[in-house]
Amino acid sequence: MSVLAPDHAGVRDRWLTALAELVPVPPGYRNESIDRIGALDILRCDDAMLTDLVEHGLPSAGGELFDRYDLFNLALYSGTGKSAPETGIRYALRWMGREPDTWFAEREWNLSVELFCPRPDGCRPGPTWSAARPEPEAFGGQTLRLDTAPAGQADRFALTAEIVTRGERRELCSDQLREIVGEYTTGSHRWVRLPVELQARPELVLPHGVAPCISVSLDLAAKCRAAGFDARTRRGWILGMLDLAHAWLEVVDTDGQVKVIDPVFALLADHADAAHPQFRQACAGSRFNRLLPSCNAADEPLFRHHCGGEGLTPATRTTVRSARSGRCAEGS
């Protein structure tokens, strides 16, 4: 019988604890398309550890194909500090530790989104594309240029924009709104990534103690409206994040101002190296210059593609560059 070295045993325990706490993507929403090589690239563990995880219940198709969201969420809470989600998010969230004034100052960005038909056998006849329009004006920003055009081939589409974003520090006035939001700011929910179609069913997601942005926004909007507040959800992008798509709540406070309520941003701060002490409070009311609103509600897709008479969610490649500091983030 072999005896695990203390360090190795500790790492294994962390992986198995993360697996025990994993909320797997349920049947009907799963897409087991990541092979073992891809899984190892996300988890950054050795092959023996991956086999161990499968033997302890990591959902898979025969131990060879895995769901991307399961792998991401497992790695994010593995505590190894080495997985791709942990290192990527830690790097992307470094701005949360900077001085508060930098969260609201005017910033200029170049945004490029390419959409691709997701069919492995190629795009079918009659392709059409739709993209949510970026609306930085909703947060006091400006669209300098916006172009949409075929990217040279029928099976893809491109959107490019030059935009200015602005933030504004605001605080909630209503004690009732603070109480509604407190379920997520003081509770035990934790942020995870899940398929958009599943997130749009908060009744299937939130009881498990996980809090993806679309589910939280829809839940909070319903509770705010039930309490008599004018509220709407909004879909958009986080500029400078590796996972760009986001959703949040906008509600009219008792002072007549629209406040942005984004408890998921506060949950994300748990994954930053050292978020500023004021950051979590700012997530209850303030507009950040890292948020780019679209015209869509939280449960409306940012991009759609039709071909062969069927509606599909296109694959995307998104690049965001700060006009002042060069390349800022790229994700897909």
Side-chain angles (χ1 to χ4, degrees):
M1 177 188 297
S2 62
V3 178
L4 294 174
D7 287 349
H8 187 89
V11 170
R12 180 177 183 272
D13 288 344
R14 287 194 289 273
W15 277 115
L16 294 181
T17 297
L19 178 60
E21 296 173 348
L22 176 70
V23 179
V25 176
Y29 298 95
R30 299 184 60 78
N31 179 12
E32 293 174 327
S33 60
I34 306 299
D35 62 16
R36 288 185 71 93
I37 294 175
L40 292 171
D41 188 51
I42 294 171
L43 302 178
R44 293 182 181 169
C45 64
D46 59 33
D47 194 68
M49 186 69 248
L50 178 54
T51 297
D52 202 4
L53 289 168
V54 172
E55 291 175 350
H56 280 81
L58 176 62
S60 66
E64 298 299 326
L65 293 173
F66 305 87
D67 180 270
R68 179 182 300 276
Y69 294 99
D70 282 353
L71 294 173
F72 181 95
N73 297 329
L74 174 64
L76 183 64
Y77 291 98
S78 66
T80 66
K82 298 178 180 180
S83 70
E86 289 172 288
T87 56
I89 286 186
R90 201 162 54 236
Y91 176 80
L93 299 182
R94 64 197 185 282
W95 63 272
M96 290 182 177
R98 297 170 186 163
E99 288 302 309
D101 287 348
T102 64
W103 309 335
F104 310 113
E106 178 179 301
R107 291 184 62 113
E108 190 171 331
W109 309 84
N110 296 317
L111 172 69
S112 172
V113 182
E114 291 182 88
L115 310 181
F116 304 87
C117 180
R119 296 185 188 276
D121 55 349
C123 199
R124 295 179 184 174
T128 62
W129 305 87
S130 63
R133 181 184 180 88
E135 287 192 341
E137 292 80 6
F139 280 10
Q142 184 180 3
T143 302
L144 303 178
R145 180 182 62 84
L146 178 65
D147 296 316
T148 58
Q153 300 182 42
D155 64 346
R156 61 192 62 193
F157 182 80
L159 177 151
T160 59
E162 297 176 16
I163 56 172
V164 174
T165 60
R166 296 182 180 91
E168 184 178 356
R169 189 196 302 265
R170 294 182 176 181
E171 295 183 3
L172 289 180
C173 297
S174 167
D175 290 336
Q176 190 173 13
L177 283 177
R178 289 196 191 94
E179 183 178 352
I180 293 172
V181 178
E183 177 182 353
Y184 294 103
T185 58
T186 62
S188 58
H189 285 82
R190 60 180 188 168
W191 176 72
V192 297
R193 291 185 64 191
L194 291 172
V196 171
E197 298 81 4
L198 177 58
Q199 288 193 51
R201 300 286 306 277
E203 73 279 6
L204 300 180
V205 173
L206 299 175
H208 295 283
V210 294
C213 59
I214 294 175
S215 300
V216 171
S217 300
L218 294 173
D219 181 57
L220 288 177
K223 290 175 179 175
C224 287
R225 292 171 188 144
F229 292 94
D230 182 8
R232 66 154 292 173
T233 63
R234 193 186 291 272
R235 194 91 188 275
W237 297 267
I238 304 175
L239 302 176
M241 273 286 289
L242 298 180
D243 179 32
L244 298 172
H246 191 47
W248 57 89
L249 174 74
E250 297 174 11
V251 60
V252 180
D253 202 347
T254 50
D255 61 355
Q257 285 192 328
V258 176
K259 307 292 174 66
V260 175
I261 296 178
D262 196 346
V264 171
F265 238 11
L267 294 177
L268 280 170
D270 293 337
H271 301 280
D273 271 337
H276 194 282
Q278 297 180 25
F279 182 78
R280 290 174 176 83
Q281 180 181 355
C283 294
S286 297
R287 300 169 171 178
F288 291 100
N289 57 14
R290 296 276 177 161
L291 289 180
L292 172 59
S294 80
C295 55
N296 287 21
D299 52 353
E300 295 179 296
L302 291 173
F303 308 112
R304 291 297 290 168
H305 170 56
H306 283 77
C307 68
E310 183 181 1
L312 305 165
T313 299
T316 64
R317 180 166 60 226
T318 304
T319 305
V320 179
R321 291 183 173 88
S322 169
R324 297 175 185 169
S325 58
R327 178 169 169 170
C328 191
E330 183 172 318
S332 62

